[in-house]
Amino acid sequence: MDPVTTLPHKSWLERTLLGLAVGLVVLGTLGALGWWLGQPLLIQPFRETEPIKINAALAFLAIGLVLLAMENRAPRAAALALLPGLLGLLVLVEHVFSLNVRIDEILATDHLSAQPGRMSAMVAAALASASLLLAWRRTERGESWRLMIEPVAGSLIASAGLSTLLGYAARLGTVYRWGTTTPTAPVEAIGLMLLGLALLGLAFRDSAKSENGPPSWSPMPGLIFCFTLTVILWIGLGEREREFITNSTTSARDQLAGNIEAEVESQQLQFARAANRWSGFADDAEDIRRLDAATMMAEARNRGYGLSAIAFIDARYQTVWVFPPDGHEADRGFDNSRLPERLEALKAATAQPSVTATTSIGNGGKRMPGFIIYAPILRNNELKGYVAAEFGYRAFFAYVAGVRSSKLSSDYSVTVELGRDVLFQSAGAELNPHGHLALNKTYP
């Protein structure tokens, strides 16, 4: 009787390596078919994430086939790994030197990515290094060096894939972009995990044969994983902190702009009431108007909201008097229609107060940028003149930023600019007016 022939029994490691190789083949095949058949679900199974690139899919497919051939006693197939390795190196050249060697969309048109067809630099580097290590197996030269490099590379590639998936899970763009503008797709991250584990398996098997037991580097993958996880948590916490600070600062900045607008509207209402009072005074009751202006100025000085002067302007746009008179002698008799921004605001103040654009106002004999509120004085629907309230920008913004927005003054430095002119600057703002910590926005 002939003896029964039995197939050689495969160890758990060999079965694992075959499974990893099959996984890479399936992943690459589905990605390539997804592009060629126009099936987004195959290339972008996770919605609102980056799709796997056609070149990356083909590279994973090629490496998976090489691994299958090597596990089925065809070691010469290792040389074929140079093809995906060359592809990865070309993509790295594109990233490093900002070139386009026209290989990104040579096999499929990418309409889903910001950088069509181009895999991320991290994926390209991983594919290139893994492919070169597999091709290295075709020769026995430098085998000791390969046995040292292979487990390190496998650990790093697997950790990179896992970190990318964690970045997506935690919504940390910094992690899955790896410091570039091209994100790594989740499917590509899965491929990297399979590829890294395959390299570790190959290195483990070879080292175990030479060392007659578990290799000395066995704890290294765990250490690299822990280190990578620590870095991911550090990056994630840093990004979350920056995001929190940015959102808080944006909210505070918008709140300041809202408070400025609200304070201007509040002053408009105040001087609309003053104009209503003045409309009840006789035309020659200048002393009563001056007394009312003095009362409002005293209140403004106590509160410190930047009111510089109150003036009475007649219906011909001539300044009749200004309170306080000191420092405003030159303003008496001034024709406000000579300045376009004042004339426009005066014409607009027919029934309600209006605010000028930036204009030059007097302050103790000095001129400074500010704005004026004109409130019309009406009697029997006839215009009798205007109450003009002059506000200096610096004192007005200091009041809004420091008093009306009390938390803002304690937590932030504020700079208000008009063009290139600095109108107001809080304490410490000059230290970093346009640095990486500053948030700028233009408001009308």
Side-chain angles (χ1 to χ4, degrees):
M1 180 181 293
D2 296 332
V4 178
T5 302
T6 58
L7 294 175
H9 177 71
K10 291 186 178 295
S11 66
W12 67 268
L13 183 55
E14 290 174 326
R15 293 195 298 271
T16 301
L17 287 171
L18 283 172
L20 293 172
V22 171
L24 287 170
V25 171
V26 171
L27 183 145
T29 301
L30 291 178
L33 290 176
W35 282 110
W36 290 330
L37 300 178
Q39 296 295 324
L41 184 61
L42 297 179
I43 60 178
Q44 199 176 22
F46 308 100
R47 292 185 177 181
E48 298 181 359
T49 61
E50 191 73 6
I52 184 173
K53 302 299 188 293
I54 179 66
N55 289 338
L58 293 175
F60 285 126
L61 172 60
I63 292 176
L65 292 174
V66 168
L67 288 172
L68 279 177
M70 291 170 59
E71 290 304 305
N72 285 283
R73 309 296 188 267
R76 293 182 179 181
L80 297 177
L82 289 174
L83 296 177
L86 177 61
L87 177 63
L89 289 175
L90 287 175
V91 175
L92 274 180
V93 169
E94 288 184 318
H95 280 285
V96 173
F97 298 101
S98 300
L99 299 177
N100 184 4
V101 297
R102 303 187 182 280
I103 61 171
D104 298 328
E105 295 184 281
I106 192 172
L107 297 174
T109 301
D110 183 358
H111 55 279
L112 299 175
S113 306
Q115 288 188 307
R118 182 170 299 181
M119 70 180 85
S120 68
M122 194 273 292
V123 173
L127 289 173
S129 57
S131 299
L132 293 176
L133 283 171
L134 289 176
W136 195 349
R137 288 178 164 271
R138 183 67 181 83
T139 177
E140 295 182 357
R141 294 181 180 178
E143 184 176 4
S144 59
W145 283 100
R146 178 178 59 79
L147 291 178
M148 293 174 58
I149 298 172
E150 206 166 43
V152 176
S155 301
L156 291 175
I157 292 172
S159 297
L162 179 59
S163 300
T164 300
L165 293 178
L166 291 176
Y168 275 105
R171 298 181 180 180
L172 299 175
T174 304
V175 175
Y176 57 77
R177 287 189 178 88
W178 292 93
T180 67
T181 58
T182 306
T184 299
V187 180
E188 294 170 347
I190 295 174
L192 292 180
M193 289 182 60
L194 297 176
L195 180 56
L197 291 174
L199 288 177
L200 280 174
L202 292 172
F204 185 90
R205 184 171 62 187
D206 293 347
S207 298
K209 289 179 181 179
S210 61
E211 298 182 24
N212 295 321
S216 57
W217 52 260
S218 295
M220 182 182 60
L223 295 175
I224 291 179
F225 168 76
C226 292
F227 174 76
T228 304
L229 185 60
T230 302
V231 172
I232 292 302
L233 290 175
W234 174 65
I235 294 174
L237 291 174
E239 182 177 356
R240 286 291 171 85
E241 182 179 6
R242 287 190 295 272
E243 182 180 355
F244 173 77
I245 292 174
T246 299
N247 292 339
S248 301
T249 305
T250 300
S251 177
R253 182 191 61 194
D254 293 340
Q255 181 186 13
L256 174 61
N259 287 344
I260 290 172
E261 184 176 6
E263 184 62 30
V264 172
E265 292 176 353
S266 174
Q267 295 300 325
Q268 286 181 278
L269 291 175
Q270 176 180 340
F271 286 98
R273 291 192 292 268
N276 187 52
R277 292 195 302 270
W278 289 19
S279 66
F281 302 152
D283 291 341
D284 57 353
E286 292 301 319
D287 291 340
I288 300 178
R289 293 191 181 93
R290 290 174 187 267
L291 180 61
D292 191 36
T295 302
M296 289 188 289
M297 281 297 303
E299 179 185 358
R301 285 170 177 167
N302 288 334
R303 294 181 57 190
Y305 49 69
L307 181 61
S308 173
I310 299 176
F312 173 58
I313 297 175
D314 63 23
R316 297 176 300 168
Y317 307 151
Q318 308 291 315
T319 300
V320 178
W321 53 263
V322 183
F323 187 90
D326 295 340
H328 294 275
E329 293 83 358
D331 292 334
R332 288 195 295 270
F334 179 75
D335 182 4
N336 290 268
S337 64
R338 291 169 51 188
L339 300 178
E341 68 276 5
R342 297 195 184 191
L343 178 60
E344 181 179 359
L346 285 165
K347 288 182 176 179
T350 56
Q352 298 293 332
S354 67
V355 184
T356 67
T358 300
T359 189
S360 177
I361 64 173
N363 182 25
K366 299 179 181 179
R367 310 302 293 181
M368 62 181 181
F371 65 93
I372 302 175
I373 296 176
Y374 292 118
I377 303 172
L378 303 173
R379 186 184 304 146
N380 297 325
N381 293 325
E382 182 182 353
L383 181 64
K384 296 297 183 178
Y386 303 88
V387 179
E390 298 184 358
F391 291 84
Y393 275 142
R394 188 177 301 277
F396 179 77
F397 289 136
Y399 167 75
V400 177
V403 178
R404 184 153 187 166
S405 310
S406 56
K407 183 174 174 56
L408 184 75
S409 61
S410 61
D411 293 349
Y412 300 97
S413 296
V414 180
T415 299
V416 181
E417 297 175 334
L418 180 65
R420 296 183 178 180
D421 298 327
V422 177
L423 304 179
F424 166 73
Q425 205 167 50
S426 66
E430 71 280 0
L431 299 178
N432 191 23
H434 298 291
H436 69 284
L437 296 178
L439 287 182
N440 304 305
K441 185 176 180 180
T442 300
Y443 295 89

Short mmCIF file of all heavy atoms in Angstrom, two decimals, residues 16-28 52 60-61 63-64 67 127 130 134 153-155 157-162 165 186-202:
data_model
loop_
_atom_site.label_atom_id
_atom_site.label_comp_id
_atom_site.label_asym_id
_atom_site.label_seq_id
_atom_site.Cartn_x
_atom_site.Cartn_y
_atom_site.Cartn_z
N THR A 16 -1.03 33.68 9.48
CA THR A 16 -1.25 35.13 9.71
C THR A 16 -0.69 35.95 8.56
O THR A 16 -1.33 36.89 8.08
CB THR A 16 -0.61 35.56 11.04
OG1 THR A 16 -1.18 34.81 12.11
CG2 THR A 16 -0.82 37.05 11.27
N LEU A 17 0.51 35.59 8.12
CA LEU A 17 1.13 36.32 7.01
C LEU A 17 0.31 36.17 5.74
O LEU A 17 0.14 37.13 4.97
CB LEU A 17 2.56 35.83 6.80
CG LEU A 17 3.58 36.26 7.86
CD1 LEU A 17 4.90 35.54 7.66
CD2 LEU A 17 3.78 37.77 7.82
N LEU A 18 -0.22 34.97 5.49
CA LEU A 18 -1.08 34.78 4.32
C LEU A 18 -2.34 35.63 4.43
O LEU A 18 -2.79 36.24 3.45
CB LEU A 18 -1.45 33.30 4.18
CG LEU A 18 -0.38 32.38 3.61
CD1 LEU A 18 -0.82 30.92 3.70
CD2 LEU A 18 -0.10 32.75 2.15
N GLY A 19 -2.90 35.68 5.64
CA GLY A 19 -4.10 36.51 5.83
C GLY A 19 -3.82 37.98 5.60
O GLY A 19 -4.63 38.69 4.99
N LEU A 20 -2.67 38.45 6.09
CA LEU A 20 -2.31 39.86 5.87
C LEU A 20 -2.09 40.14 4.39
O LEU A 20 -2.51 41.20 3.88
CB LEU A 20 -1.05 40.21 6.66
CG LEU A 20 -1.19 40.19 8.18
CD1 LEU A 20 0.18 40.34 8.85
CD2 LEU A 20 -2.13 41.30 8.65
N ALA A 21 -1.46 39.20 3.69
CA ALA A 21 -1.24 39.38 2.25
C ALA A 21 -2.56 39.41 1.50
O ALA A 21 -2.78 40.26 0.62
CB ALA A 21 -0.35 38.25 1.72
N VAL A 22 -3.46 38.49 1.85
CA VAL A 22 -4.79 38.48 1.21
C VAL A 22 -5.54 39.78 1.52
O VAL A 22 -6.20 40.35 0.64
CB VAL A 22 -5.60 37.26 1.68
CG1 VAL A 22 -7.06 37.36 1.22
CG2 VAL A 22 -4.98 35.98 1.16
N GLY A 23 -5.41 40.27 2.74
CA GLY A 23 -6.06 41.54 3.10
C GLY A 23 -5.58 42.69 2.24
O GLY A 23 -6.37 43.53 1.79
N LEU A 24 -4.26 42.75 2.01
CA LEU A 24 -3.71 43.80 1.15
C LEU A 24 -4.20 43.65 -0.29
O LEU A 24 -4.51 44.65 -0.95
CB LEU A 24 -2.19 43.76 1.18
CG LEU A 24 -1.52 44.26 2.48
CD1 LEU A 24 -0.04 43.93 2.48
CD2 LEU A 24 -1.74 45.76 2.64
N VAL A 25 -4.28 42.43 -0.78
CA VAL A 25 -4.76 42.20 -2.14
C VAL A 25 -6.22 42.63 -2.27
O VAL A 25 -6.61 43.31 -3.23
CB VAL A 25 -4.60 40.72 -2.53
CG1 VAL A 25 -5.31 40.43 -3.84
CG2 VAL A 25 -3.12 40.37 -2.65
N VAL A 26 -7.04 42.25 -1.30
CA VAL A 26 -8.47 42.62 -1.34
C VAL A 26 -8.63 44.13 -1.25
O VAL A 26 -9.40 44.74 -2.01
CB VAL A 26 -9.23 41.92 -0.20
CG1 VAL A 26 -10.65 42.46 -0.09
CG2 VAL A 26 -9.25 40.41 -0.43
N LEU A 27 -7.89 44.75 -0.34
CA LEU A 27 -7.99 46.20 -0.17
C LEU A 27 -7.59 46.91 -1.45
O LEU A 27 -8.28 47.84 -1.91
CB LEU A 27 -7.12 46.63 1.00
CG LEU A 27 -7.13 48.11 1.40
CD1 LEU A 27 -7.00 48.25 2.92
CD2 LEU A 27 -5.99 48.88 0.73
N GLY A 28 -6.46 46.51 -2.04
CA GLY A 28 -6.01 47.15 -3.27
C GLY A 28 -6.93 46.90 -4.44
O GLY A 28 -7.20 47.81 -5.24
N ILE A 52 -9.29 56.57 -0.90
CA ILE A 52 -8.02 55.93 -1.23
C ILE A 52 -7.63 56.30 -2.66
O ILE A 52 -8.48 56.37 -3.54
CB ILE A 52 -8.11 54.39 -1.07
CG1 ILE A 52 -6.74 53.77 -1.32
CG2 ILE A 52 -9.17 53.80 -1.98
CD1 ILE A 52 -6.69 52.27 -1.03
N PHE A 60 -0.72 48.76 -2.85
CA PHE A 60 -1.09 47.76 -1.86
C PHE A 60 -1.37 46.42 -2.53
O PHE A 60 -0.99 45.35 -2.01
CB PHE A 60 -2.32 48.21 -1.07
CG PHE A 60 -2.04 49.28 -0.05
CD1 PHE A 60 -2.74 50.47 -0.05
CD2 PHE A 60 -1.07 49.08 0.92
CE1 PHE A 60 -2.49 51.44 0.90
CE2 PHE A 60 -0.81 50.06 1.88
CZ PHE A 60 -1.52 51.24 1.86
N LEU A 61 -2.04 46.45 -3.69
CA LEU A 61 -2.32 45.22 -4.42
C LEU A 61 -1.02 44.52 -4.83
O LEU A 61 -0.87 43.30 -4.65
CB LEU A 61 -3.16 45.54 -5.66
CG LEU A 61 -3.39 44.39 -6.65
CD1 LEU A 61 -4.10 43.22 -5.97
CD2 LEU A 61 -4.19 44.89 -7.86
N ILE A 63 2.02 44.83 -3.51
CA ILE A 63 2.76 44.32 -2.34
C ILE A 63 2.07 43.08 -1.80
O ILE A 63 2.73 42.10 -1.40
CB ILE A 63 2.86 45.41 -1.27
CG1 ILE A 63 3.76 46.56 -1.76
CG2 ILE A 63 3.40 44.84 0.03
CD1 ILE A 63 3.84 47.73 -0.81
N GLY A 64 0.73 43.08 -1.80
CA GLY A 64 0.01 41.90 -1.34
C GLY A 64 0.31 40.69 -2.21
O GLY A 64 0.51 39.57 -1.69
N LEU A 67 3.79 39.39 -1.39
CA LEU A 67 3.78 38.63 -0.13
C LEU A 67 3.18 37.25 -0.33
O LEU A 67 3.68 36.25 0.22
CB LEU A 67 3.01 39.41 0.94
CG LEU A 67 3.69 40.65 1.51
CD1 LEU A 67 2.73 41.43 2.40
CD2 LEU A 67 4.93 40.25 2.31
N LEU A 127 5.07 53.13 1.81
CA LEU A 127 5.09 52.18 0.71
C LEU A 127 6.50 52.01 0.15
O LEU A 127 6.92 50.89 -0.17
CB LEU A 127 4.14 52.65 -0.39
CG LEU A 127 2.64 52.56 -0.09
CD1 LEU A 127 1.81 53.21 -1.19
CD2 LEU A 127 2.22 51.10 0.09
N ALA A 130 8.66 50.02 2.80
CA ALA A 130 8.26 48.62 2.89
C ALA A 130 8.62 47.86 1.62
O ALA A 130 9.10 46.71 1.68
CB ALA A 130 6.75 48.53 3.14
N LEU A 134 11.14 44.61 1.21
CA LEU A 134 10.74 43.33 0.61
C LEU A 134 11.68 42.96 -0.54
O LEU A 134 12.07 41.79 -0.70
CB LEU A 134 9.29 43.43 0.12
CG LEU A 134 8.22 43.49 1.21
CD1 LEU A 134 6.85 43.67 0.59
CD2 LEU A 134 8.24 42.22 2.06
N ALA A 153 10.85 49.40 10.94
CA ALA A 153 10.00 49.95 9.89
C ALA A 153 8.58 49.40 10.00
O ALA A 153 7.60 50.15 9.88
CB ALA A 153 10.58 49.62 8.51
N GLY A 154 8.45 48.10 10.26
CA GLY A 154 7.12 47.52 10.41
C GLY A 154 6.36 48.13 11.56
O GLY A 154 5.15 48.43 11.45
N SER A 155 7.03 48.33 12.69
CA SER A 155 6.37 48.94 13.85
C SER A 155 5.92 50.36 13.56
O SER A 155 4.80 50.76 13.91
CB SER A 155 7.32 48.93 15.05
OG SER A 155 7.72 47.61 15.37
N ILE A 157 5.30 51.75 10.57
CA ILE A 157 4.25 51.78 9.56
C ILE A 157 2.91 51.38 10.18
O ILE A 157 1.88 52.03 9.93
CB ILE A 157 4.62 50.87 8.38
CG1 ILE A 157 5.82 51.44 7.63
CG2 ILE A 157 3.43 50.70 7.43
CD1 ILE A 157 6.38 50.53 6.56
N ALA A 158 2.90 50.31 10.98
CA ALA A 158 1.65 49.89 11.63
C ALA A 158 1.15 50.96 12.59
O ALA A 158 -0.06 51.25 12.66
CB ALA A 158 1.86 48.57 12.36
N SER A 159 2.07 51.58 13.34
CA SER A 159 1.68 52.63 14.28
C SER A 159 1.14 53.85 13.54
O SER A 159 0.20 54.50 14.00
CB SER A 159 2.87 53.03 15.15
OG SER A 159 3.29 51.95 15.95
N ALA A 160 1.75 54.16 12.39
CA ALA A 160 1.27 55.30 11.59
C ALA A 160 -0.15 55.05 11.11
O ALA A 160 -1.01 55.95 11.14
CB ALA A 160 2.20 55.54 10.41
N GLY A 161 -0.43 53.82 10.65
CA GLY A 161 -1.78 53.50 10.22
C GLY A 161 -2.78 53.59 11.36
O GLY A 161 -3.87 54.17 11.21
N LEU A 162 -2.42 53.04 12.52
CA LEU A 162 -3.31 53.10 13.67
C LEU A 162 -3.52 54.54 14.14
O LEU A 162 -4.64 54.94 14.49
CB LEU A 162 -2.73 52.24 14.81
CG LEU A 162 -3.54 52.21 16.11
CD1 LEU A 162 -4.94 51.67 15.86
CD2 LEU A 162 -2.82 51.38 17.17
N LEU A 165 -6.03 56.34 11.98
CA LEU A 165 -7.41 55.96 12.32
C LEU A 165 -7.86 56.62 13.62
O LEU A 165 -9.01 57.08 13.73
CB LEU A 165 -7.52 54.44 12.43
CG LEU A 165 -7.33 53.65 11.13
CD1 LEU A 165 -7.42 52.16 11.39
CD2 LEU A 165 -8.37 54.07 10.08
N PRO A 186 -8.64 56.85 5.42
CA PRO A 186 -8.79 55.77 6.40
C PRO A 186 -8.49 54.39 5.80
O PRO A 186 -7.90 53.54 6.47
CB PRO A 186 -10.25 55.87 6.83
CG PRO A 186 -10.65 57.28 6.53
CD PRO A 186 -9.85 57.67 5.32
N VAL A 187 -8.90 54.17 4.53
CA VAL A 187 -8.62 52.88 3.90
C VAL A 187 -7.12 52.69 3.73
O VAL A 187 -6.58 51.59 3.92
CB VAL A 187 -9.34 52.78 2.54
CG1 VAL A 187 -9.05 51.45 1.87
CG2 VAL A 187 -10.84 52.96 2.72
N GLU A 188 -6.41 53.76 3.38
CA GLU A 188 -4.96 53.68 3.28
C GLU A 188 -4.34 53.39 4.64
O GLU A 188 -3.34 52.66 4.74
CB GLU A 188 -4.40 54.98 2.71
CG GLU A 188 -4.81 55.23 1.26
CD GLU A 188 -4.45 56.62 0.78
OE1 GLU A 188 -4.11 57.48 1.62
OE2 GLU A 188 -4.50 56.85 -0.44
N ALA A 189 -4.92 53.95 5.71
CA ALA A 189 -4.41 53.68 7.06
C ALA A 189 -4.57 52.21 7.41
O ALA A 189 -3.68 51.61 8.03
CB ALA A 189 -5.15 54.55 8.07
N ILE A 190 -5.70 51.60 7.01
CA ILE A 190 -5.88 50.17 7.24
C ILE A 190 -4.82 49.37 6.47
O ILE A 190 -4.25 48.40 6.98
CB ILE A 190 -7.30 49.75 6.82
CG1 ILE A 190 -8.34 50.43 7.73
CG2 ILE A 190 -7.46 48.24 6.88
CD1 ILE A 190 -9.77 50.20 7.29
N GLY A 191 -4.57 49.79 5.22
CA GLY A 191 -3.53 49.13 4.44
C GLY A 191 -2.16 49.23 5.10
O GLY A 191 -1.37 48.27 5.09
N LEU A 192 -1.86 50.39 5.69
CA LEU A 192 -0.58 50.55 6.37
C LEU A 192 -0.48 49.63 7.58
O LEU A 192 0.60 49.08 7.87
CB LEU A 192 -0.39 52.01 6.80
CG LEU A 192 -0.22 53.04 5.67
CD1 LEU A 192 -0.06 54.43 6.26
CD2 LEU A 192 0.98 52.69 4.80
N MET A 193 -1.58 49.48 8.31
CA MET A 193 -1.55 48.57 9.45
C MET A 193 -1.27 47.14 8.99
O MET A 193 -0.44 46.44 9.59
CB MET A 193 -2.88 48.63 10.19
CG MET A 193 -3.12 49.93 10.96
SD MET A 193 -4.68 49.91 11.86
CE MET A 193 -4.43 48.50 12.95
N LEU A 194 -1.96 46.69 7.92
CA LEU A 194 -1.72 45.35 7.41
C LEU A 194 -0.28 45.19 6.93
O LEU A 194 0.38 44.17 7.20
CB LEU A 194 -2.69 45.06 6.26
CG LEU A 194 -4.18 45.05 6.60
CD1 LEU A 194 -5.01 44.83 5.34
CD2 LEU A 194 -4.49 43.96 7.62
N LEU A 195 0.23 46.21 6.23
CA LEU A 195 1.59 46.15 5.70
C LEU A 195 2.62 46.13 6.82
O LEU A 195 3.59 45.35 6.80
CB LEU A 195 1.83 47.35 4.78
CG LEU A 195 3.21 47.47 4.14
CD1 LEU A 195 3.55 46.22 3.35
CD2 LEU A 195 3.26 48.71 3.25
N GLY A 196 2.44 46.99 7.83
CA GLY A 196 3.37 47.02 8.96
C GLY A 196 3.39 45.70 9.72
O GLY A 196 4.45 45.19 10.10
N LEU A 197 2.20 45.11 9.95
CA LEU A 197 2.13 43.83 10.65
C LEU A 197 2.78 42.72 9.83
O LEU A 197 3.41 41.80 10.38
CB LEU A 197 0.67 43.48 10.95
CG LEU A 197 -0.02 44.38 12.00
CD1 LEU A 197 -1.49 44.02 12.12
CD2 LEU A 197 0.67 44.24 13.36
N ALA A 198 2.63 42.79 8.49
CA ALA A 198 3.27 41.79 7.63
C ALA A 198 4.79 41.88 7.74
O ALA A 198 5.49 40.85 7.84
CB ALA A 198 2.83 41.99 6.19
N LEU A 199 5.34 43.08 7.75
CA LEU A 199 6.80 43.23 7.91
C LEU A 199 7.25 42.71 9.27
O LEU A 199 8.30 42.05 9.39
CB LEU A 199 7.19 44.70 7.76
CG LEU A 199 7.12 45.30 6.34
CD1 LEU A 199 7.47 46.77 6.39
CD2 LEU A 199 8.04 44.54 5.39
N LEU A 200 6.46 42.98 10.31
CA LEU A 200 6.81 42.47 11.63
C LEU A 200 6.78 40.94 11.65
O LEU A 200 7.65 40.30 12.27
CB LEU A 200 5.83 43.03 12.67
CG LEU A 200 6.08 44.46 13.15
CD1 LEU A 200 4.95 44.92 14.06
CD2 LEU A 200 7.41 44.52 13.91
N GLY A 201 5.76 40.37 10.99
CA GLY A 201 5.68 38.91 10.95
C GLY A 201 6.86 38.29 10.24
O GLY A 201 7.44 37.28 10.71
N LEU A 202 7.25 38.86 9.11
CA LEU A 202 8.41 38.35 8.38
C LEU A 202 9.68 38.47 9.22
O LEU A 202 10.50 37.54 9.29
CB LEU A 202 8.58 39.11 7.06
CG LEU A 202 7.50 38.87 6.00
CD1 LEU A 202 7.69 39.84 4.85
CD2 LEU A 202 7.55 37.43 5.49
#
